[in-house]
Amino acid sequence: VGLREMRTEIVTRLREAGCVFAEDEAELLMSAARTPEELGEMVSRRVTGLPIEQIVGWADFCGLRIAVEPGVFVPRRRTEFLVERAVALVRPGDVAVDLCCGAGAIAAALCAAVPGLEAYAADIDPVAVRCARRNVPGQVYEGDLYDPLPESLRGRVAVLTANVPYVPTGEIALLPAEARTHEPLAALDGGTDGLEILRRVARGAPDWLAPGGHLLIETSERQAALAVEAFAGLDARIARSAELGAVVVIGRAGR
């Protein structure tokens, strides 16, 4: 079978499985596979619903290849908007902390965009932490939100980012099967109204931010107003990207 025929067959299988970008995914799988046998195995895994990023071992985020493993939350393109906003708020030598870091995409992108940034990241999931340590040129800690961070960072953080889980518990069942089946529930479930983790991050932020430092958290349009209310003690505003369908609440600490 020639390459063209093989590609056509793969595209057909992917399309029948419901893959919207079947042609692009076929190219990606063919370039990633080292043998025809490995390619066949990769296609089969994709057809069963495994996210393509977990199959090829990386996700494209802010122009970087972020290493991901099966069972790790796959960074979304809309989160690039949070990175863009954060980059505008830091300078070389500043301290940046990324909570709920997953594979470390945000911290890695910040470090790539701002040379000399002092970066720290944390996640409660050991698989995510293992991935993040491959991606982040800084310290990555395992633990619940602020708990594992060194005390020496208190009052020194210029930018604190968090792509917290914000899907309400009752809506998890409505997510695409890819997310429900192959990504950790802890990275998706934001509690009854989707804002439980966001509130915990916002409540702790003033203790860690430097004077004039910023907290940035991704959320949804319908949750944005309630999210702003959670930023008590910070001067909060909402930033939106229509292109990416992204909403970020940004809070600034007093000087």
Side-chain angles (χ1 to χ4, degrees), residues 99-155:
L99 299 181
C100 305
C101 72
I106 293 173
L110 285 175
C111 288
V114 186
L117 201 63
E118 189 180 333
Y120 301 85
D123 199 285
I124 200 166
D125 177 27
V127 181
V129 169
R130 185 170 69 232
C131 257
R133 286 177 175 155
R134 295 168 59 189
N135 294 314
V136 179
Q139 295 298 310
V140 181
Y141 301 96
E142 182 182 333
D144 185 27
L145 301 182
Y146 301 98
D147 289 353
L149 297 179
E151 283 294 315
S152 60
L153 293 182
R154 281 188 185 271

Side-chain angles (χ1 to χ4, degrees), residues 72-107:
V72 170
F73 180 81
V74 176
R76 309 309 202 241
R77 183 162 177 257
R78 64 174 170 268
T79 306
E80 294 181 359
F81 179 64
L82 185 153
V83 172
E84 178 189 310
R85 297 293 89 204
V87 165
L89 299 170
V90 285
R91 296 169 299 181
D94 279 349
V95 172
V97 171
D98 183 32
L99 299 181
C100 305
C101 72
I106 293 173

Side-chain angles (χ1 to χ4, degrees), residues 123-202:
D123 199 285
I124 200 166
D125 177 27
V127 181
V129 169
R130 185 170 69 232
C131 257
R133 286 177 175 155
R134 295 168 59 189
N135 294 314
V136 179
Q139 295 298 310
V140 181
Y141 301 96
E142 182 182 333
D144 185 27
L145 301 182
Y146 301 98
D147 289 353
L149 297 179
E151 283 294 315
S152 60
L153 293 182
R154 281 188 185 271
R156 293 183 52 222
V157 181
V159 67
L160 176 60
T161 58
N163 184 15
V164 300
Y166 56 86
V167 179
T169 304
E171 296 178 19
I172 294 292
L174 305 178
L175 290 174
E178 272 188 36
R180 290 197 319 269
T181 309
H182 300 290
E183 293 184 313
L185 184 61
L188 304 169
D189 191 343
T192 305
D193 65 354
L195 295 172
E196 289 182 11
I197 311 300
L198 181 146
R199 289 190 182 96
R200 290 181 57 208
V201 172

